[in-house]
Every structure is written in C-alpha cells, then in structure tokens.
Amino acid sequence: MAVEDYLSQLNDAQQQPTTHVDGPLMVIAGAGSGKTRVLTYRIAYLMQQGIDAFSILALTFTNKAAREMKTRIAEIVGESESKNLWMGTFHSVFARILRAEADRLGYPSSFTIYDSQDSERLVKSIIKEMNLDTDIYKPKQIRNRISSFKNSLITVRAYHNNPELVETDREARRSAMGNIYRNYVERCFKAGAMDFDDLLLKTNELLNRFPDVLAKYQDRFRYILVDEYQDTNHSQYLIVRALADKFQNLCVVGDDAQSIYAFRGANIENILNFQKDYPDAKTYRLEQNYRSTECIVEAANSVINHNQNKLDKTVWTANEKGEKIVIHRSPSDGDEGRYVAQSIFEQAMNLQLSYTSFAILYRTNAQSRAMEDALRKRNIPYRVYGGLSFYQRKEIKDMLAYLRLIVNPKDEESLRRVINYPTRGIGQTTMNKLVVAAQEHNLSLFEVADQANHLPLQIHAGAKTKLVNFATLIKSFQVANANQTAFETADMVAKKTGLVQELKKEGTPEAINRVENIEELLNGIRDFVDGQREIVDAKGSLVEFLADVALATDFDNEITDENSVSLMTVHLAKGLEFPHVFIVGMEDDLFPSAMNMNSRSELEEERRLFYVALTRAKKLATLTYTQCRYRWGKLNDAEPSRFLSEIDHSYVDNRVVESNYEFKPLVDPSIFGDDHSKIRFKKPPTKSTPKRVPKNLKPVSASTHSSLIELEGLEVGARVSHNRFGAGTIVSIEGDGGDAKALIDFDGNGRKNLLLRFAKLDIL
C-alpha cells in the first residue's frame, strides 16, 4: 500500500506523530482518539522510509494488541517484512531476550516461567518449612510483597540494606520477610524458573551488569515504540530508558487520564515526567474522540477535570449529541440487577439490537452475582470475563506441569504437582524425605528421584522404585520430545500418564467436563503448532508453546461473536467499546473503593477508573446505584458515589425510583390504650444530615402497580407482569379479600403462588 493511501485515513493531528521519524516524541491520546492506528501507521511509515524492521521494537500491554497491530502492518508493508518486527508485550519481548542471554545469569535457556499460582504455592511451601504462622505470613500477601519489591528493583541484598523496609516488616510482626524473600529467590534459581516479575528484574540486571549486552540491544533497537506508557512501572521504565538512551528514537503513546494500574505498580509519573527525561521531546495531542456521543465525551471531561495531577488536553468529538447519561437509583442490589436486565431486554427489543451491543461493568467481581441472577431470570444470554482462566483450571495445570517437567526437570513446583497424580503411591512422607535429600546433596528433586537407588535415602525399596519409575517416565517423554512437535508430545503425555483415564473413571459430569478441557488444550496446541509454521525460525516445539502460554495476559480474552451480554470489571474493559454500557454499583466505598480513598492520589486513580468506564460507551451510558446493598450477608445503607455529582448536570438524566414501602404494624395499636394521650413532651430540635444524592436529582414516578384484587376483569388466562418474575399467565385464583391468591405461570421462571394483597402486578 502506498504511503499516501494510508496517511489519507488520518486527520492532521494523527499524521504529525505518524510521520515524525527521528528523536523522542510523546503522543497524548484521549479516549477513542485512534492511538492504535497512529502507532500502527507510524511503524509502517518507518519501514517505508527504509528503516529495517529488525531495528524496530514495539512494546504493548496485551498480546491481542500486538497481534492486531502486526496484522494491520502486514497489510501495508507485506507479511514477510512484518514478521521481522520485534513486537509484543513487555514480558514476552524480554523473555525472548532472556532466553537468548540466559547463560549470562546462570539460567538454562529453557527456564520455566512461574505464574502467580506457582509463585504462591512456592511461598506457601517456604512458610510451612520455616514453621511460620500463616495468620501473620499469609502466602498471597507475602507473594504480592515480593512482587512489589521486584518491580521497584529491590533485590534481596537491597532489602537487607534498607533499614526502613526491615523495620516496617518488623513492626508488622513479619521479621522473617527478608529470609522468605531470600529462600524464594534461591528456590526459583535452583528450579531454573523465573516468575513474571523476574522477566523485568532480570532484564534490568542483564542490561546493567553486562555493558556489551546493553550495547548489542541498543544497536539492534534503534527505534522504540511503547503503547499505554501511563501503565508502565518503575522496572519497565528503566529498561526502556536504557535501551533508548543511545539513539533517543523513543515514541511513547498514552493517556494520563486512563492510568488505572497503580495497584500493579504502574507509575503515572513516567508519562507526566516524560518531557523532563527527554527535554528535546516533541509532544503531540490526539483530542478528537471518534467513539462516543458528545454527551458521553463532555460528561467524562467534566468528571476528569476534578483531578489535579494531569496533562493538559481537551477531548472533543464531532459525533452527534446523543442521549443523556442515565443515572438510576434502585432500592437494593437485587432491584438494581432487575432494572439492568429489564433495560437490556427492552432496548434489545425496541431498537432491534443484538445482546453483544451491551456491557455491564462493575468495580469488583462480586457484583456480578446479582446481575447474573437477573439476566438468567430474563433468559438473556451473557458471558462473564475475568473469571477462572482456562489455563488456571486444575486439569490444565496438571497437563502443563508434565509438559514443563519435560522441558525443565528442575522445575520443583511442577514435580510436586504431578509426582503422585495420577496416584503412584508416593505420599507426603516420601516427598519430605526427598526434599531433605535434595538439600543435603545439593540436587534437584528430580535428580534425587532419578538416583533414588544410589542415594542413602531413608525410604523403603518400594517407594524408591516408584520414584525411579516416575523419573524414567519423564525421561522417556524427553527423548520422544526431541524429535516431535509440541502437539505430538502433549498427546502422548495425556495418554501415557493416565490423566485422561483417571478422569474418565470418575464418570461424573465434572470429570467429563475436565476431559473435554484437556481435549480443548490439545486442540489449542495443534493450532499453535500450525501457526508456528508461518514464523521464521519457529519449530512448533514444546518450549515455544510453554513460553506462549506462560506469557498470556489477563487482558487477552477476546469478546466473542456469541449473542451475549458482556460482564466484566472496569479494569478488564480498558481498550474495549460497546454501544450501550451499564456501570453498576456507583456508591461511595464501592466506586470509589473504600480501600482507595485515603489520599488524593488514590482518589484520583479511582476517578480515572470511572473515566475509563464511562468512555467505553458509544451511544448510551447508564449509571446505577442502590439505597441498600448486601455486604458480607448484611444489608447496609449505601451512599451515592461522589463521582455522580461531579458530572455536569446538563448531560445527565436522573431517575430516582420512589419506594412503595409502607410499614405494616405487627401488633394492634389499640392495645396500648390512650391513657396518656393528653400528655405531651416538648421534643428538642434535632439536626439531621440528609443523605447526599447527585445534584439536580429529580424523582420520577415509579411504574404504577395495582393490587390485582382492585383490577377489574381479572380472570384465569389473563396476562400479567411482575417486577421480579416478568410476564406470565394466571392459571388459577383462590380465596377472597386479603387471603386471595393467584397461581401464575411466569415465562422462563415457572409457576409462582402469589398473595394478591402483596403482589405488585400489572395487567398486560
């Protein structure tokens, strides 16, 4: 494709950074302003200016983004050239560098990459071996603390040289934190494994300890592009600074208003201080929003303007004005779910929309329950994103553990997972003795198992035989794998280990589902092998597959073409867009989160998160909150989110549902008599603090429900509607007056016997 062909698809603001070749530049890209297109076309432009694809490094935050960009670039410069680009997530690119240079750091090139579950299991083992109190040393918290150390470049040595850190842990009764950290690092190294944070930490170590390695990659990557720069952490920032230092051809793209990953170590200062780091940098602003209506864009602007720590920009749109932001109050979270489900049902029917047009976003995963209940009762198909990943399911982790052992027999966590699954008679007592022997002889657990007959192990002969047989099985897989693709090896493992047979023996629906998951894994591996045939120097090997799986990100779930409503947290929704978006649970202590309201910087991050949520909507955004919400099994009063009152009221349509609640006395008031009815006490005036509600909130009348007793023409066969159960047909009516009841067959919700004096129904 000619340069003028794709440049003509850009506006003036987009063309300027696209055609900027040399020197540092920062692109501040507002929501929906086409930043991915600019990044993609800039890479294509550089290549068409004669810059070698091998000299270009593009870093993204999701594999999905990298794939999409590479596909677009291939359409312009050709597939053979686009394959030569170094493009991918930070972790995948740095893992590739680390595999090539692993020997410098004492690691095998086939090192294992531990995910968060593997890391947590290892931490748990260390805490147990050190006989520490798990109420104080909670494995997940300790793992997260180690992760934060690594992302801040606090090594074990740096930790022990920092009195403030040591004192902080001592005051928190975690004085063994430093020893846990040291043991964790040593165990990973001994197992030939790196965790996700090591991929950044070890790259920093590589570039700082070995100047020749740094020079090599500085010369290779003469042009560096970084997407979502506002989400980089300190470790990523230092790597980019080091690699770009020689030629300074660094292009960063991002939006400070969408920096929402501080809890993962992201540092918004990286983008705010870019001009200080590179005084000669040119700054470009993409301010035209192509995604949303004017109402949504201006409403989002009015909210984010309350942040003090931000870069100057004015996002605008030439799109239609559109409908106002709907703010709806419900009595409870159950009512909130029913309102959202009913709204989706009505909009889908009235506007002839598919359910893929709708998304429900929430601050915490726990909020999905009420939404799912309501959608099911309405027979509305939906899909929840961000639940248990396919690769985190037990049967899949078991299969992957076998495959990882084949590639790296030193992988302690994988060995512990499968040495006795399916059952081989190798119990915990044998494992404990295996661990002791490994430490005494400075061997890996696999090496001890393999040499069980030749080492002075205090285990009986039968257990030794079982250990040797297990090691022999793994070694037979290694021999076969040397001449096979990843699929052929995985297929052999599934059959010869007895994994599939074990599940089939159970015969339960859950076990059958697990067998199907293993089958799906094999399908995925075959697909991966087929795809690798297109890549230069790729072999479709087991090492390549395991690296690909280990580097899959939380955000690589692609929205399917299934006709279903999407449910997800706001964090997962970043980068996505939907015509109609419902943001639920807009209450203080929920959104903004109670955990992030202790400082201005935390509150500003929550506000940016709300800005991201609001700007996912293209046509209509609906914000809902409740008067009461169940938290930990208790019904608590809820306050409207402060963010609601920050939206310019001219862009808002507030809807408050009036409650029909009326107290019904539990005893006859006349029993108290009127002996003291003439006595009156003067009540002192009291000050009451009214509940805060969004400004300009005007009540609207709720749907008029009448008791069926009062409705004329009531008879069997009549069609009625209930606010919880939806539409239905009256099957029978029994009783009189206050005892009257009706049996109603509700569409999709079955038959319900309702007392008519309480039932709020409409005749259809």
Side-chain angles (χ1 to χ4, degrees):
M1 186 186 293
V3 174
E4 55 274 12
D5 290 340
Y6 63 84
L7 289 184
S8 64
Q9 299 174 26
L10 305 174
N11 62 31
D12 290 342
Q14 293 170 332
Q15 278 193 27
Q16 292 174 35
T18 300
T19 55
H20 178 129
V21 177
D22 294 317
L25 69 149
M26 175 169 62
V27 182
I28 305 300
S33 61
K35 74 173 179 65
T36 304
R37 173 173 286 192
V38 168
L39 206 54
T40 304
Y41 285 2
R42 182 168 191 271
I43 294 170
Y45 184 82
L46 291 175
M47 292 171 69
Q48 289 193 333
Q49 299 309 300
I51 293 166
D52 194 338
F54 285 102
S55 300
I56 300 172
L57 169 63
L59 298 168
T60 66
F61 267 80
T62 67
N63 294 309
K64 178 186 172 189
R67 284 195 302 269
E68 289 176 353
M69 286 170 60
K70 218 164 191 176
T71 300
R72 288 195 205 177
I73 292 167
E75 292 171 358
I76 299 171
V77 301
E79 198 167 324
S80 59
E81 273 302 300
S82 68
K83 285 179 182 177
N84 299 328
L85 286 165
W86 277 64
M87 178 182 286
T89 63
F90 280 86
H91 292 89
S92 65
V93 168
F94 299 155
R96 187 175 169 186
I97 291 173
L98 285 169
R99 289 201 188 280
E101 312 291 342
D103 60 314
R104 298 279 192 133
L105 300 172
Y107 281 85
S109 61
S110 60
F111 62 81
T112 299
I113 299 174
Y114 281 174
D115 63 19
S116 57
Q117 272 192 14
D118 300 320
S119 298
E120 194 175 324
R121 279 165 59 102
L122 178 54
V123 168
K124 192 174 181 179
S125 298
I126 292 168
I127 291 170
K128 185 177 180 182
E129 290 163 18
M130 293 176 68
N131 294 315
L132 298 171
D133 186 346
T134 52
D135 288 333
I136 297 172
Y137 296 93
K138 296 178 179 175
K140 190 165 188 174
Q141 288 182 1
I142 299 299
R143 191 204 74 83
N144 289 342
R145 188 150 173 76
I146 290 173
S147 175
S148 68
F149 287 159
K150 291 185 176 184
N151 283 319
S152 300
L153 259 66
I154 300 170
T155 60
V156 173
R157 177 179 293 181
Y159 172 85
H160 286 289
N161 290 337
N162 189 321
E164 190 177 331
L165 282 175
V166 174
E167 180 61 21
T168 299
D169 282 322
R170 191 189 66 77
E171 289 177 355
R173 298 193 301 152
R174 291 194 302 253
S175 55
M177 181 69 223
N179 290 333
I180 296 173
Y181 188 14
R182 175 180 281 110
N183 285 343
Y184 176 82
V185 169
E186 288 175 354
R187 291 276 281 275
C188 283
F189 182 75
K190 189 176 177 182
M194 293 188 195
D195 62 22
F196 245 54
D197 303 308
D198 280 328
L199 297 179
L200 303 179
L201 180 66
K202 296 297 179 184
T203 302
N204 266 302
E205 181 182 347
L206 189 68
L207 300 180
N208 282 277
R209 280 183 55 199
F210 304 98
D212 59 318
V213 174
L214 174 60
K216 171 183 172 181
Y217 288 102
Q218 282 178 334
D219 284 332
R220 169 169 286 180
F221 304 132
R222 298 189 175 219
Y223 291 84
I224 300 174
L225 301 92
V226 184
D227 192 13
E228 307 286 9
Y229 191 64
Q230 77 280 353
D231 291 330
T232 52
N233 61 29
H234 185 58
S235 193
Q236 290 164 328
Y237 163 80
L238 290 174
I239 295 169
V240 171
R241 276 294 302 267
L243 290 175
D245 190 60
K246 186 173 182 180
F247 294 101
Q248 304 264 311
N249 294 323
L250 174 63
C251 168
V252 301
V253 182
D255 180 7
D256 58 300
Q258 296 186 67
S259 178
I260 60 174
Y261 294 112
F263 70 98
R264 289 186 171 185
N267 186 359
I268 192 173
E269 298 299 322
N270 292 349
I271 194 167
L272 297 178
N273 294 331
F274 185 79
Q275 201 75 47
K276 292 180 184 176
D277 291 336
Y278 301 92
D280 298 330
K282 180 79 174 171
T283 300
Y284 300 95
R285 287 178 172 78
L286 305 182
E287 298 174 314
Q288 183 176 358
N289 180 300
Y290 289 94
R291 176 189 299 150
S292 308
T293 63
E294 184 183 336
C295 259
I296 293 171
V297 169
E298 294 299 335
N301 284 345
S302 66
V303 172
I304 204 63
N305 283 338
H306 285 79
N307 273 11
Q308 293 181 8
N309 199 19
K310 63 182 187 296
L311 296 169
D312 291 332
K313 67 175 178 299
T314 304
V315 180
W316 60 278
T317 186
N319 294 341
E320 61 180 347
K321 190 168 185 65
E323 296 183 54
K324 289 186 175 183
I325 308 293
V326 174
I327 297 180
H328 183 276
R329 185 183 78 188
S330 298
S332 69
D333 43 356
D335 294 298
E336 180 184 46
R338 288 188 283 276
Y339 166 75
V340 171
Q342 177 66 18
S343 299
I344 290 174
F345 180 78
E346 290 177 354
Q347 290 176 33
M349 293 301 104
N350 296 340
L351 303 176
Q352 295 297 298
L353 298 173
S354 70
Y355 286 123
T356 53
S357 300
F358 300 91
I360 302 173
L361 309 182
Y362 32 76
R363 181 66 181 82
T364 64
N365 277 307
Q367 291 168 257
S368 74
R369 196 267 316 156
M371 296 296 131
E372 291 185 67
D373 286 350
L375 292 169
R376 275 198 303 269
K377 286 173 181 173
R378 276 278 174 194
N379 285 325
I380 296 174
Y382 65 89
R383 180 174 175 186
V384 180
Y385 291 85
L388 185 65
S389 162
F390 177 79
Y391 290 106
Q392 295 298 333
R393 298 174 194 273
K394 180 187 180 302
E395 62 276 12
I396 302 303
K397 291 281 282 184
D398 291 338
M399 266 291 291
L400 292 178
Y402 273 108
L403 300 181
R404 280 168 31 167
L405 263 184
I406 294 169
V407 168
N408 176 19
K410 290 184 177 181
D411 184 348
E412 183 179 313
E413 287 307 301
S414 293
L415 182 138
R416 286 173 180 269
R417 186 177 190 100
V418 298
I419 195 169
N420 197 40
Y421 184 77
T423 307
R424 295 185 177 86
I426 303 173
Q428 191 57 49
T429 303
T430 302
M431 279 304 299
N432 292 341
K433 292 178 179 178
L434 208 63
V435 170
V436 171
Q439 291 172 346
E440 287 178 353
H441 299 281
N442 195 27
L443 298 170
S444 69
L445 294 182
F446 183 83
E447 287 169 329
V448 174
D450 188 31
Q451 300 172 37
N453 287 328
H454 308 291
L455 291 171
L457 301 179
Q458 300 302 312
I459 7 181
H460 59 79
K464 286 185 178 181
T465 302
K466 290 167 185 172
L467 290 172
V468 172
N469 288 344
F470 173 76
T472 302
L473 177 68
I474 299 301
K475 288 198 292 186
S476 72
F477 290 152
Q478 289 176 323
V479 172
N481 182 56
N483 300 305
Q484 292 183 160
T485 65
F487 170 74
E488 290 166 336
T489 300
D491 189 46
M492 180 175 63
V493 167
K495 292 170 182 172
K496 291 196 174 182
T497 57
L499 273 177
V500 175
Q501 294 91 321
E502 185 82 4
L503 291 170
K504 283 182 176 177
K505 269 195 296 185
E506 286 185 37
T508 62
E510 293 81 6
I512 298 303
N513 187 48
R514 287 176 181 170
V515 171
E516 290 171 352
N517 285 338
I518 291 178
E519 184 181 352
E520 183 57 33
L521 174 66
L522 294 174
N523 292 339
I525 297 175
R526 186 191 285 276
D527 187 52
F528 172 82
V529 170
D530 290 343
Q532 290 295 92
R533 290 179 183 144
E534 302 173 9
I535 300 174
V536 179
D537 298 329
K539 301 172 183 174
S541 68
L542 195 54
V543 171
E544 292 169 352
F545 171 73
L546 291 173
D548 186 71
V549 169
L551 295 165
T553 70
D554 297 343
F555 307 97
D556 285 326
N557 273 332
E558 297 199 19
I559 303 302
T560 66
D561 293 330
E562 297 171 13
N563 186 23
S564 58
V565 176
S566 296
L567 277 70
M568 67 189 79
T569 63
V570 181
H571 281 102
L572 274 184
K574 189 166 180 286
L576 303 176
E577 58 183 44
F578 302 89
H580 297 250
V581 170
F582 291 82
I583 307 170
V584 300
M586 291 300 304
E587 297 142 31
D588 268 0
D589 290 347
L590 186 55
F591 200 179
S593 166
M595 294 186 292
N596 290 335
M597 294 170 63
N598 301 314
S599 66
R600 177 177 296 279
S601 63
E602 289 180 345
L603 187 59
E604 290 199 353
E605 169 117 350
E606 288 290 306
R607 189 176 285 113
R608 291 194 294 269
L609 189 58
F610 177 53
Y611 175 84
V612 167
L614 198 52
T615 53
R616 298 311 94 199
K618 297 166 72 175
K619 298 290 185 184
L620 178 64
T622 302
L623 317 178
T624 68
Y625 68 101
T626 68
Q627 293 172 287
C628 302
R629 183 177 295 275
Y630 277 102
R631 307 286 285 272
W632 300 105
K634 294 181 180 178
L635 191 61
N636 298 317
D637 288 342
E639 291 283 339
S641 170
R642 64 194 65 196
F643 298 152
L644 295 179
S645 60
E646 292 176 359
I647 303 174
D648 188 320
H649 68 270
S650 61
Y651 302 112
V652 167
D653 175 11
N654 279 309
R655 301 179 185 179
V656 180
V657 177
E658 296 294 350
S659 172
N660 292 318
Y661 173 78
E662 180 184 347
F663 177 70
K664 304 266 192 312
L666 302 178
V667 296
D668 185 349
S670 67
I671 67 170
F672 299 106
D674 58 355
D675 297 343
H676 306 290
S677 60
K678 294 179 181 178
I679 301 174
R680 294 287 183 271
F681 293 93
K682 189 170 183 180
K683 190 176 181 181
T686 59
K687 291 184 179 180
S688 62
T689 305
K691 276 196 172 186
R692 179 161 50 81
V693 296
K695 58 188 176 184
N696 199 35
L697 200 63
K698 49 185 186 294
V700 297
S701 60
S703 301
T704 53
H705 294 285
S706 305
S707 168
L708 271 175
I709 306 170
E710 300 169 0
L711 295 173
E712 296 180 4
L714 179 65
E715 57 185 14
V716 173
R719 292 285 289 171
V720 294
S721 175
H722 186 272
N723 68 335
R724 276 186 65 193
F725 305 123
T729 304
I730 297 177
V731 177
S732 64
I733 301 174
E734 296 178 9
D736 298 311
D739 295 326
K741 56 187 177 183
L743 180 63
I744 304 172
D745 188 1
F746 288 102
D747 305 346
N749 279 306
R751 295 189 172 196
K752 310 286 180 186
N753 214 359
L754 304 181
L755 270 172
L756 296 181
R757 63 192 167 111
F758 293 124
K760 292 179 173 60
L761 301 161
D762 290 327
I763 288 184
L764 298 178

